[in-house]
Amino acid sequence: MEESLWELLTEVNWKMIALTLLAGGVLSIIGDRVGMKFAKRRVTLFNLRPKYTSSILTACTGMLISLCVIAILAVVSESVRISLFSMQFIQRQIVDLTRQLQDSRNEQQISSLLIVEAQQQLTSKEKELAAKETELSDLQTRADSLRRTTEEMQAERDRLTQERARLEEDVNRIRTTLGKLQEGRIVAFSDERLGQEVIPEGVTTEAEARRYLDRLNERVRFEVARRSDAVPASISLEEDPESLQNAMQRILAYDSRKVVRAMVPQNIAAGETVRVVYHVYESSLVFRKEEALITRVLRFKPSAEQAETMLSYMLRELNRMATSSGILNDPLTGMVGGIPANDFYDGVERLAAAKAPLRVTLLAARDIYSEGPVSVKIVVEQNVSLDNLDSLDEELPDLTAAERGNSSVLAKTTGRK
């Protein structure tokens, strides 16, 4: 509080106050003296009584005092001069400045609104930018996917081009073959076995292996000559070098019984060079002579048609069993051997003439090795005992119910699988 009072006192213009008081005192004394003189002399103004004249002089003196005070204040204080002579101007300036301030505030408010709107627009643009960036990222991903797809399609196109070239080569080869067919006939089909040779144990030199391969080649020449009605010496034979080398290596790898098959990689027309590819397999004993391979027991006497169907089914089953036992089949037919037609129909007749119950057995006609063929003979036994047959199958898939009637077929398969 004391500090505020002291600051207020220090701010007062004591010089102006002192001059004002001094001027007022001096002028009051002068005015009093003048008024006394006029009163003693009984001076009148405007035909007024001296009393009124003295009052007028006193009033004039007071007005002079006020004027002098104003003059002194105007001389001493710039604020007073401004207040006296520039107040209206200052007020107009204040009004103008107030109006300008209000305009500035209005502009500031408008600017604030514009800033808010601009901020909103900026936020909206940022969201749009983010959406565009996301869209651009998606488009980039799609572009990468399309680029990969394009590369894959180009690779596929290259592959198809190569495939087309191979197909054109095949077409040309087929056209060439067709042209040759018009001139002659096919004597060997692709991947057909033209001959095979068994190489026994004890062959340890290339010279010995070469003799067996030459014997196999002679078999091939005779087979092709038989099919083309030519002489064996006229058949041109060409060995595949890679398969020949592999065959020699396998034959001489270790001492064991082996079988070599001569096959052709493509169709051969009459008069063409026969290109031979060798395949070497290990050979081992699979079935011994007189070994029972397939056995069927019938409770009823079959007709000739049923007997033929049953034997055909047994032979097909024997073919599957022999193949699964390791016997090499014919690459074209898939068969491992055959039975002469006379033997087959002889077995059918014996089956049709036998008395039920009867047993049909396919026996190995000789020792059968991996290279085949499977040679069998048909044995028919009649009036057999049906004891110990409870575990056997009672259906034959190739015989229909109408053919069997109320009878049943008991089947038993023996042999190694």
Side-chain angles (χ1 to χ4, degrees):
M1 185 65 180
E2 293 179 355
E3 292 180 357
S4 300
L5 183 58
W6 174 255
E7 291 178 357
L8 181 61
L9 293 175
T10 55
E11 293 294 329
V12 177
N13 194 345
W14 297 105
K15 180 179 180 182
M16 184 185 66
I17 294 174
L19 289 176
T20 303
L21 293 176
L22 179 62
V26 171
L27 291 175
S28 297
I29 292 172
I30 294 172
D32 184 63
R33 294 287 179 89
V34 171
M36 287 176 66
K37 286 182 178 182
F38 280 98
K40 290 179 179 181
R41 294 180 181 180
R42 307 229 9 128
V43 176
T44 61
L45 292 175
F46 309 109
N47 297 320
L48 293 176
R49 295 176 62 186
K51 176 181 178 181
Y52 295 115
T53 300
S54 176
S55 298
I56 292 173
L57 291 175
T58 302
C60 290
T61 302
M63 293 174 61
L64 182 62
I65 292 171
S66 298
L67 182 61
C68 291
V69 170
I70 291 172
I72 294 171
L73 291 174
V75 173
V76 174
S77 175
E78 183 179 1
S79 300
V80 175
R81 287 198 303 272
I82 293 173
S83 300
L84 292 175
F85 304 108
S86 304
M87 181 58 66
Q88 295 296 328
F89 175 74
I90 292 173
Q91 288 180 349
R92 287 195 302 271
Q93 282 189 335
I94 290 173
V95 173
D96 293 338
L97 292 175
T98 302
R99 186 175 60 253
Q100 292 178 5
L101 177 60
Q102 187 63 36
D103 294 340
S104 298
R105 287 178 178 175
N106 293 335
E107 291 179 357
Q108 183 180 6
Q109 292 178 354
I110 295 173
S111 300
S112 300
L113 294 175
L114 293 176
I115 290 172
V116 172
E117 184 179 359
Q119 186 67 34
Q120 292 176 350
Q121 292 180 356
L122 177 61
T123 303
S124 176
K125 293 299 182 181
E126 288 177 349
K127 291 181 180 179
E128 291 180 2
L129 179 60
K132 293 297 182 182
E133 289 178 350
T134 303
E135 184 179 357
L136 179 61
S137 178
D138 294 340
L139 291 176
Q140 186 66 35
T141 303
R142 291 179 58 188
D144 295 338
S145 177
L146 290 175
R147 188 181 301 108
R148 289 193 297 270
T149 303
T150 302
E151 293 175 354
E152 293 175 358
M153 293 179 66
Q154 289 177 350
E156 182 68 14
R157 183 192 63 185
D158 296 338
R159 187 187 66 80
L160 291 176
T161 301
Q162 297 175 358
E163 184 69 19
R164 178 183 177 182
R166 288 195 296 268
L167 291 175
E168 288 178 351
E169 292 178 359
D170 292 341
V171 169
N172 293 332
R173 180 174 57 81
I174 292 172
R175 286 176 178 173
T176 303
T177 304
L178 289 176
K180 293 179 179 179
L181 284 175
Q182 293 175 353
E183 300 174 358
R185 65 178 184 274
I186 295 293
V187 296
F189 294 94
S190 176
D191 294 329
E192 181 180 1
R193 181 193 63 184
L194 293 181
Q196 67 180 24
E197 183 72 22
V198 175
I199 300 179
E201 298 179 3
V203 176
T204 57
T205 64
E206 289 190 9
E208 293 175 321
R210 183 69 258 182
R211 283 199 299 271
Y212 284 101
L213 293 180
D214 291 341
R215 186 185 303 175
L216 176 59
N217 291 338
E218 289 302 318
R219 291 177 184 270
V220 173
R221 285 192 177 92
F222 274 103
E223 179 65 22
V224 175
R226 182 185 65 81
R227 298 181 183 184
S228 59
D229 297 329
V231 295
S234 65
I235 303 301
S236 176
L237 194 69
E238 179 184 354
E239 296 176 318
D240 181 71
E242 184 178 356
S243 69
L244 175 61
Q245 182 180 359
N246 293 335
M248 282 292 185
Q249 291 177 352
R250 292 205 52 187
I251 292 171
L252 303 177
Y254 54 91
D255 189 11
S256 63
R257 177 187 170 97
K258 300 178 182 65
V259 61
V260 181
R261 285 187 166 184
M263 306 178 70
V264 289
Q266 61 188 20
N267 294 344
I268 303 298
E272 283 188 323
T273 299
V274 180
R275 183 177 178 85
V276 175
V277 177
Y278 298 112
H279 294 271
V280 182
Y281 304 93
E282 295 295 325
S283 177
S284 60
L285 182 63
V286 180
F287 301 118
R288 295 187 179 276
K289 184 178 180 180
E290 300 297 328
E291 180 177 349
L293 304 179
I294 300 288
T295 298
R296 294 280 176 186
V297 178
L298 280 71
R299 295 181 184 273
F300 65 97
K301 176 182 175 61
S303 64
E305 183 180 358
Q306 288 177 326
E308 183 177 349
T309 301
M310 180 177 178
L311 284 180
S312 298
Y313 176 78
M314 291 176 68
L315 290 174
R316 288 198 299 271
E317 187 176 358
L318 175 61
N319 190 79
R320 290 193 297 268
M321 185 190 75
T323 302
S324 63
S325 298
I327 296 178
L328 300 175
N329 58 14
D330 189 294
L332 290 183
T333 64
M335 306 301 292
V336 296
I339 185 171
N342 292 335
D343 294 345
F344 178 79
Y345 285 107
D346 179 65
V348 170
E349 291 177 359
R350 283 187 282 124
L351 267 173
K355 295 181 179 180
L358 55 88
R359 178 189 290 116
V360 183
T361 305
L362 298 183
L363 297 180
R366 58 178 178 81
D367 288 343
I368 300 174
Y369 288 85
S370 302
E371 65 272 11
V374 177
S375 299
V376 298
K377 59 182 180 179
I378 304 171
V379 177
V380 179
E381 302 174 76
Q382 56 185 352
N383 293 325
V384 298
S385 174
L386 297 180
D387 296 338
N388 301 322
L389 294 178
D390 295 339
S391 62
L392 300 180
D393 295 335
E394 294 188 356
E395 292 184 359
L396 184 63
D398 293 291
L399 295 180
T400 64
E403 291 171 338
R404 292 197 301 269
N406 295 326
S407 305
S408 61
V409 178
L410 299 179
K412 182 177 181 180
T413 301
T414 61
R416 289 163 293 179
K417 296 185 180 180

